[in-house]
Amino acid sequence: PEPEPEPEPEPEHTTHMCSTNPGPSRQPRCDVSDDDDDDDSWTYMVLGVIIGLAIYNQVILDVRFPLAVYSKLLGKKLKGLKDLKQSFPELAKGLQTLLDTQNVQELGLNFEVTRGSKNFALIEGGGSVLVTDENKQQFVDKYADWVLNKSVERQFNALKRGFLRVCGKREGYRAHALALVSADELEKLICGSPVLDFNALQDSVRYVGFSNASNDSTSDENELAREKDVVKYFWQCFNTFTYEQKKKLLKFVTGSDRLPIRGVSELNMVVQSGGDNPSNLPSAHTCFNTLILPRYRTYEQLCSKLLKTLEFAEGFGLN
């Protein structure tokens, strides 16, 4: 009799990042590609995925990358002082000074960069090539290329690979939507807008749990007046804040000191009644952009508690 055919191996079930091994154990595994020799490549790739998911879910991240990173994510080739100046203005200024200097060879520079205990040649045999007036432009161009590209090539490639797993070109589409944005716009999509209109913020806030907001005719009139006073006290205190204190409050409530790219109307900030316990400090639900305010009895009490909260609040961040 013919031998029974061997069963076909069970297919792997995969996502963009992880898969389950075939077989009865079905142990999960999360692998990086073969070219990720260094441990931190996986970290950079995951960071790229997080950034892509933040755009997809319209979540603002508290990250601060040089503008060059966003340009490179969009596929722009960076080179020369012009691109270097956008992200590293002091370094670009120093290199421009070098270009403006005569008798550069007297400085004793060569075509080599030192980082930590390692030396990196900008050209072949760069350690023995002296920088002179004749080749200083080449030195500056090579130095800029090393800073913007070669020195971070492995880490950036991992970051971009993760980012494009979420925001990259999809089958059936001629181009991905990010081809329509600039580096500045991509930064605002990820980090939000640094332009803060606090007057518009006050007009857009929604109030929850305050009886006067729902026109509850059965509530005690004194109670209604006190709840109304809490809202009034809050904005009076807020309007005495410095610009930095207002940014601290915004970060305490939302997790970021920036606004969505489409403005304050996208923030949907909520001020919610926190009950009748004025000994409590204000609190926040950052996932829902909600500030919880107990029913404080006086302006001084509310402002003191709010300032103390902002001074000692730590919150969450991406470091």
Side-chain angles (χ1 to χ4, degrees):
E2 295 183 2
E4 294 183 4
E6 294 184 3
E8 294 184 3
E10 188 176 0
E12 285 192 351
H13 296 269
T14 64
T15 65
H16 282 303
M17 292 176 57
C18 300
S19 64
T20 54
N21 289 324
S25 65
R26 305 193 59 76
Q27 292 295 320
R29 74 166 190 262
C30 295
D31 298 324
V32 295
S33 58
D34 293 337
D35 58 345
D36 288 331
D37 299 325
D38 296 86
D39 293 339
D40 64 352
S41 290
W42 170 252
T43 303
Y44 283 103
M45 190 180 72
V46 171
L47 178 58
V49 171
I50 292 172
I51 292 171
L53 288 173
I55 295 176
Y56 184 81
N57 293 289
Q58 299 181 27
V59 175
I60 296 175
L61 292 182
D62 186 21
V63 296
R64 298 292 186 270
F65 289 136
L67 192 62
V69 173
Y70 304 107
S71 296
K72 287 168 68 69
L73 284 174
L74 294 174
K76 181 181 178 183
K77 303 296 183 182
L78 302 182
K79 60 181 181 178
L81 275 182
K82 182 179 178 181
D83 290 323
L84 189 68
K85 186 177 181 179
Q86 285 187 321
S87 302
F88 306 100
E90 291 301 317
L91 176 58
K93 182 179 178 180
L95 291 174
Q96 183 60 57
T97 300
L98 180 68
L99 290 176
D100 296 336
T101 301
Q102 298 299 318
N103 300 318
V104 173
Q105 57 272 14
E106 295 179 1
L107 299 176
L109 299 174
N110 55 34
F111 279 73
E112 197 172 60
V113 177
T114 301
R115 172 175 286 182
S117 59
K118 295 183 178 180
N119 296 328
F120 300 89
L122 300 178
I123 60 176
E124 187 175 352
S128 58
V129 179
L130 189 67
V131 178
T132 66
D133 291 342
E134 288 72 29
N135 63 17
K136 62 185 178 182
Q137 182 65 60
Q138 182 190 15
F139 171 80
V140 168
D141 292 341
K142 293 291 185 181
Y143 195 105
D145 179 61
W146 185 84
V147 171
L148 294 171
N149 301 303
K150 293 181 179 178
S151 67
V152 293
E153 184 174 18
R154 177 179 54 79
Q155 296 92 332
F156 177 77
N157 285 343
L159 177 77
K160 186 174 183 179
R161 187 162 58 252
F163 178 74
L164 292 180
R165 288 191 176 194
V166 181
C167 296
K169 184 177 178 181
R170 290 288 183 264
E171 186 177 353
Y173 293 86
R174 300 181 68 179
H176 55 76
L178 290 179
L180 304 176
V181 303
S182 66
D184 291 305
E185 291 167 334
L186 179 59
E187 181 182 24
K188 289 178 181 177
L189 278 172
I190 297 169
C191 305
S193 172
V195 179
L196 305 178
D197 185 350
F198 289 111
N199 291 326
L201 176 65
Q202 183 171 345
D203 294 337
S204 69
V205 166
R206 186 165 56 91
Y207 302 95
V208 173
F210 293 99
S211 299
N212 61 305
S214 59
N215 297 318
D216 186 354
S217 59
T218 63
S219 298
D220 181 82
E221 289 185 6
N222 291 331
E223 189 73 11
L224 290 174
R226 188 150 65 88
E227 290 183 345
K228 186 176 181 180
D229 285 342
V230 170
V231 175
K232 181 178 72 174
Y233 294 155
F234 168 70
W235 288 114
Q236 283 179 348
C237 182
F238 179 83
N239 288 328
T240 66
F241 284 179
T242 65
Y243 185 77
E244 288 303 316
Q245 286 174 321
K246 290 178 180 180
K247 287 177 64 177
K248 277 188 176 182
L249 177 66
L250 185 62
K251 187 169 184 178
F252 175 70
V253 177
T254 69
S256 173
D257 61 3
R258 294 190 171 202
L259 294 177
I261 190 172
R262 287 183 287 186
V264 70
S265 61
E266 295 292 316
L267 193 60
N268 298 319
M269 181 174 162
V270 174
V271 175
Q272 180 175 325
S273 174
D276 194 15
N277 194 343
S279 62
N280 289 345
L281 292 170
S283 57
H285 299 310
T286 55
C287 293
F288 304 101
N289 297 338
T290 299
L291 174 66
I292 313 295
L293 281 180
R295 290 196 287 267
Y296 297 111
R297 288 170 170 77
T298 66
Y299 164 81
E300 290 76 16
Q301 189 180 43
L302 182 147
C303 211
S304 173
K305 295 282 188 181
L306 188 58
L307 285 170
K308 183 178 291 185
T309 298
L310 298 182
E311 181 180 356
F312 294 103
E314 179 63 28
F316 300 94
L318 183 63
N319 295 320

